[in-house]
Amino acid sequence: QERIETIAARAGLRVLDLLPALRRAYAQHRDLYIAWDDEHFTPRGHRVVAEALQRYLVDQRLVPAVQKAQQLASNDKSHHS
């Protein structure tokens, strides 16, 4: 992971390490992966990744916070009506 972060930094790319979020979720309940293949996420595993990605994007100011985004979408709809 550190090697990937170093290479990405040199290239000017951002990196999101999902391992901490997955480890925390796994410690609570081990249902992140489909039991028979251990490679594909269950719905909960997908949710953990999606929530981590959302936090990262908002924290990095790459997207507006959800509440603000919903408010902007509502305003956009009202202007098109």
Side-chain angles (χ1 to χ4, degrees):
Q1 289 144 328
E2 289 177 18
R3 185 169 181 224
I4 290 171
E5 288 176 2
T6 301
I7 293 168
R10 280 192 223 139
L13 301 172
R14 299 171 190 254
V15 175
L16 169 59
D17 184 1
L18 294 169
L19 190 57
L22 290 168
R23 281 184 173 162
R24 281 191 302 274
Y26 188 81
Q28 293 173 352
H29 198 277
R30 297 179 175 199
D31 64 344
L32 297 178
Y33 299 95
I34 294 175
W36 59 87
D37 74 5
D38 277 340
E39 293 178 19
H40 295 92
F41 290 122
T42 62
R44 180 171 175 263
H46 282 284
R47 191 169 42 255
V48 168
V49 170
E51 289 169 358
L53 179 57
Q54 178 186 15
R55 276 192 307 276
Y56 175 81
L57 293 173
V58 170
D59 290 348
Q60 296 295 310
R61 299 178 190 261
L62 298 171
V63 299
V66 172
Q67 185 177 19
K68 187 173 182 179
Q70 290 171 342
Q71 188 177 38
L72 292 172
S74 294
N75 289 342
D76 190 46
K77 285 180 186 177
S78 65
H79 291 297
H80 293 291
S81 298

